[in-house]
Amino acid sequence: MLEVRNLAAGYPGRTVLEGVTLAVRPGRVLALLGPNGCGKSTLLRTMPGLLPPLGGEILLDGRPLGDYSPRQAAQRVAYLPQSRTAPSITARRMVLHGRFPYLSYPRRYRREDHDAVDRALAAADALDLEDRPLPELSGGQRQKVYLAMALAQETETVLMDEPTTYLDIRHQLETLALVRRLAAEGRGVALVLHDLCLALASADDVAVLGEGRLLALGGPEEIYQGGILARAMGISLERTAGPEGWRYACRLPEEE
C-alpha cells in the first residue's frame, strides 16, 4: 500500500498542496479530482518520489519511501505520466522499458520479460502496434503503448495521470474496465481524470483537491451527496439510476 500523511507537495519556492493524507489501497481505485491547476498531477508525481515532498510522509508498505532504492520502489509502484516524448523505437521496445527495474546493467532481456510485455500489450489492446515506430503512431495509439509499459512493470500499485488522454470513447471505457480488472487482481490504482462522470462510475474512493488542500475524501456516493465536488468544479452534478449503477451527468449551473 502506498500512502501519504500530512503531505506538502510542490516545487522549490512554490507549495501547491499542503496537509494531504490519503492511501492507494490494494484492490481499490482512487480517483484524484479537482479543477485545473489544483495539484492533481503534482500530487501523483510526488507519491512515488518523482518529485521530492516539501513536507509530511510517504509510506510504501508501511515503510518510508526513502528506505527503498529507486529500483526497489519501481518494482512496487508504476507511474504513467500524462504525456511523454516519442523516441524513434518500436512500440515493443518502448514497453520493454517497463522491465528496467528487474534488470541489471548491461540490460539483457529474459524470456520472462518478453512474456510480461506480451501480457501488457494484450491488456492495453496494443499487440497490433508492437512492431510500429512510436513516432508514426497517433496520440491514442501511443497512449495505449505507454499504458502497456506501465503494466509491464507488474507492480502492486499503479499511478495513472490522465490514462484516457487522446483515446476515443470506446478505448476510454476499455481503459477504465482494465483499471477495474487491476483492482480485482488486488492491485491498488490511483488515477487523475478530468471526466468526472467516468471517474465517479469507476472509482472506489474519490479525493477532491482544491484551494491548495484535500477538500474531501470518500466513496463516490459520499462525495456526490456532500456536494463538494460540484462546488469545487463550479458545476451542477446529477445522476440517474442505470442497469449497472449510477450514471452521472455534469452541466453548467446557469443551465438549471
Side-chain angles (χ1 to χ4, degrees), residues 147-163:
L147 174 59
M149 184 174 64
L151 297 178
Q153 277 182 245
E154 297 190 326
T155 57
E156 299 169 356
T157 302
V158 183
L159 310 179
M160 302 180 177
D161 194 353
E162 287 292 336

Side-chain angles (χ1 to χ4, degrees), residues 47-71:
M47 291 171 70
L50 298 176
L51 283 177
L54 303 182
E57 294 182 288
I58 304 174
L59 301 176
L60 180 55
D61 295 333
R63 293 169 51 194
L65 183 64
D67 286 358
Y68 297 86
S69 69
R71 179 179 178 183

Side-chain angles (χ1 to χ4, degrees), residues 193-204:
L193 283 177
H194 282 298
D195 191 319
L196 305 184
C197 300
L198 286 178
L200 290 171
S202 305
D204 300 298

Side-chain angles (χ1 to χ4, degrees), residues 199-218:
L200 290 171
S202 305
D204 300 298
D205 305 299
V206 176
V208 183
L209 303 173
E211 303 171 9
R213 60 191 177 92
L214 176 64
L215 297 175
L217 177 64

